[in-house]
Amino acid sequence: MIRYKINIAPEVAKEIEDIYLYIADDSPNNAAKWYFAIHDKIQALTDFPESCPVAYEDRFYDFQIRNLIFGNYRVIYRIQKDIIQILHVKHTAQQRNPF
C-alpha cells in the first residue's frame, strides 16, 4: 500500500487562512475548530485518496481532479504518483470553473 504525502501550495494555504478569518469574524471558536478539522480531513487523504469522487472540474484537464467534501467546502486535489497535491479549497456555492 502506498503511503501518500500531502502537498499544500502556498496559494491554498492562503485560501484556508482566508476562510478561517471569514469564519472568525462571526465565531473565533468555530473558526479554530474548522481550521484544525479541515487539516485533519486533508491528512486523512493519505490513506485512501481515491475514495473521494472525481470533481466536476475534472472535465477541463488532462489529469484527474478529485474533491473531498467537508461541510460547505470542497478540497480539490489531484494524485500524482505518491503525492496528493491540494489545488484549491472552495465553498460549495462557488462556481465550478477551470482554475
Side-chain angles (χ1 to χ4, degrees):
M1 184 169 134
I2 299 173
R3 182 64 178 183
Y4 294 89
K5 298 176 197 132
I6 300 288
N7 179 339
I8 299 176
E11 301 84 21
V12 178
K14 174 81 168 99
E15 289 173 352
I16 292 170
E17 180 183 355
D18 289 346
I19 295 166
Y20 164 81
L21 292 172
Y22 178 79
I23 297 169
D25 279 345
D26 257 355
S27 173
N29 190 40
N30 285 345
K33 287 179 188 176
W34 179 88
Y35 181 85
F36 290 113
I38 197 162
H39 280 284
D40 288 347
K41 290 289 186 182
I42 289 170
Q43 285 302 316
L45 287 172
T46 60
D47 293 326
F48 300 103
E50 294 179 351
S51 65
C52 294
V54 172
Y56 172 86
E57 294 85 353
D58 180 73
R59 67 189 71 201
F60 303 117
Y61 299 95
D62 60 354
F63 51 86
Q64 193 172 67
I65 304 285
R66 293 184 171 270
N67 63 174
L68 165 69
I69 306 299
F70 176 68
N72 292 326
Y73 293 89
R74 298 169 53 232
V75 177
I76 301 166
Y77 66 95
R78 73 183 279 198
I79 304 166
Q80 224 176 354
K81 296 183 183 175
D82 66 341
I83 297 173
I84 299 168
Q85 183 180 12
I86 308 300
L87 302 172
H88 286 285
V89 176
K90 296 180 174 255
H91 193 279
T92 55
Q94 286 180 285
Q95 278 193 311
R96 297 178 182 201
N97 297 324
F99 320 126

